[in-house]
Amino acid sequence: MGYFGDVLRSTQVAIVLSPWVALAVCPRPGVWEYIRVNVNALVVEELSAAEYLHFKEELVDGRKAEEYLSSVPPDTSYSEFDHRFQDIGLERGWVVYILDQVRALESKMLHRIKQQRLDITPWILIHASILRVPFRTEKGIVRKWISRFEVWPYLETYTDDVSNEISGELQAKPDLIISNYGDGKLIAFLLAHKCTIAHALEKTKVVHGIDVFDPKFNIVSLRVDMTMYFPYNEEHKRLTALQLEIEELLYSPGQNEEHM
């Protein structure tokens, strides 16, 4: 297949938004290239990282859903407009992470019940509600649509707002916080520290050992600083001068302004 075959073998992500197909290609560790192909005209275009991310976000355009919801009375039943969401390209998924965790919990419970040789079938009752908390800055609520790759500067303020809203909604502290993805895990960690409660990271799969030299770990997150990402055997690039300072921050029993 020649050059195109090499591209396909190095492709890590493919996004289809007819008539275009966008490809995230990793020809070698730490190096990413982005292209899109018009399957009708057989035209290939090179994309920047920002253009690729914009193309990726267009796959599910949340703005269309928000515009539609703003025109629907608040007491409208979901069953009356779920077909409209499907037309936009959205499927039911608002509580999908809760269901994933419940399935994992059920599997674990069944396993332990079987180990104890008990004849019990567990029933798990789910009651869920969605509490929406907007991002804000010192200037007020952020009303524009934000890519999930650009939410990080808002997360600390968002955590404070979520903590206040949850306390007001529950009139108590939550028993457990379950998080998903990097941004959610950061929020869960900050909330757990703020509220002195337990939190759980998303982990619904059992892993029997990890091979850190597996090629799959060569996949680098988008927008990573290429000057800071390098193979493990290039030890001369490590920031060894900061090792003692990092250990102090991580393991020191005392706290100071740097820890906070």
Side-chain angles (χ1 to χ4, degrees):
M1 296 178 65
Y3 173 75
F4 190 65
D6 293 336
V7 170
L8 290 180
R9 280 190 289 270
S10 301
T11 296
Q12 303 295 330
V13 182
I15 304 170
V16 179
L17 195 60
S18 183
W20 294 96
V21 177
L23 305 176
V25 184
C26 185
R28 57 186 182 278
V31 177
W32 286 87
E33 298 173 357
Y34 309 98
I35 61 173
R36 68 173 184 172
V37 182
N38 187 311
V39 296
N40 292 338
L42 296 180
V43 174
V44 179
E45 296 180 1
E46 186 175 357
L47 299 175
S48 66
E51 289 171 334
Y52 170 78
L53 292 175
H54 180 71
F55 187 91
K56 186 175 183 179
E57 293 295 338
E58 286 183 353
L59 186 62
V60 179
D61 194 347
R63 286 170 290 185
K64 293 181 181 178
E66 291 182 358
E67 290 172 1
Y68 178 74
L69 284 176
S70 64
S71 66
V72 176
D75 57 349
T76 304
S77 171
Y78 177 74
S79 61
E80 296 183 27
F81 60 83
D82 62 343
H83 64 282
R84 175 57 179 159
F85 271 20
Q86 291 179 341
D87 292 340
I88 294 174
L90 301 176
E91 297 290 343
R92 295 184 182 183
W94 289 345
V95 292
V96 65
Y97 295 121
I98 296 175
L99 296 179
D100 283 344
Q101 297 297 332
V102 169
R103 292 190 189 101
L105 174 62
E106 181 184 38
S107 177
K108 192 69 174 180
M109 290 174 64
L110 288 172
H111 177 68
R112 291 188 175 182
I113 289 172
K114 184 178 180 180
Q115 283 184 323
Q116 297 174 23
R117 298 184 179 182
L118 298 176
D119 186 16
I120 300 174
T121 302
W123 286 74
I124 302 176
L125 178 64
I126 304 173
H127 175 73
S129 61
I130 299 173
L131 177 63
R132 297 187 179 275
V133 180
F135 290 132
R136 69 175 178 87
T137 66
E138 63 277 2
K139 297 180 180 179
I141 294 176
V142 178
R143 300 189 180 278
K144 66 177 182 178
W145 179 84
I146 300 175
S147 164
R148 64 187 178 92
F149 298 102
E150 300 173 346
V151 302
W152 295 91
Y154 303 94
L155 296 187
E156 291 193 41
T157 302
Y158 178 77
T159 300
D160 292 335
D161 294 342
V162 168
S163 176
N164 294 333
E165 292 293 335
I166 290 178
S167 298
E169 186 77 12
L170 300 179
Q171 295 297 308
K173 293 181 179 180
D175 298 312
L176 178 67
I177 298 174
I178 298 176
S179 59
N180 298 277
Y181 300 114
D183 49 359
K185 291 173 183 177
L186 174 60
I187 293 170
F189 172 79
L190 294 174
L191 277 175
H193 182 73
K194 187 179 183 67
C195 302
T196 61
I197 56 176
H199 77 286
L201 304 182
E202 177 189 25
K203 186 177 180 182
T204 58
K205 302 178 179 65
V206 178
V207 180
H208 299 288
I210 296 176
D211 179 9
V212 296
F213 300 105
D214 191 292
K216 67 184 177 183
F217 292 108
N218 288 332
I219 300 176
V220 187
S221 300
L222 298 174
R223 296 186 179 180
V224 72
D225 185 352
M226 296 297 186
T227 63
M228 300 300 295
Y229 178 83
F230 49 85
Y232 73 96
N233 55 355
E234 296 182 11
E235 298 184 6
H236 64 281
K237 293 185 178 180
R238 298 181 185 179
L239 302 178
T240 54
L242 299 177
Q243 185 172 345
L244 292 178
E245 184 178 346
I246 293 173
E247 289 181 353
E248 172 70 16
L249 286 172
L250 291 176
Y251 304 117
S252 173
Q255 287 196 353
N256 52 40
E257 292 183 358
E258 291 184 353
H259 289 86
M260 302 304 290

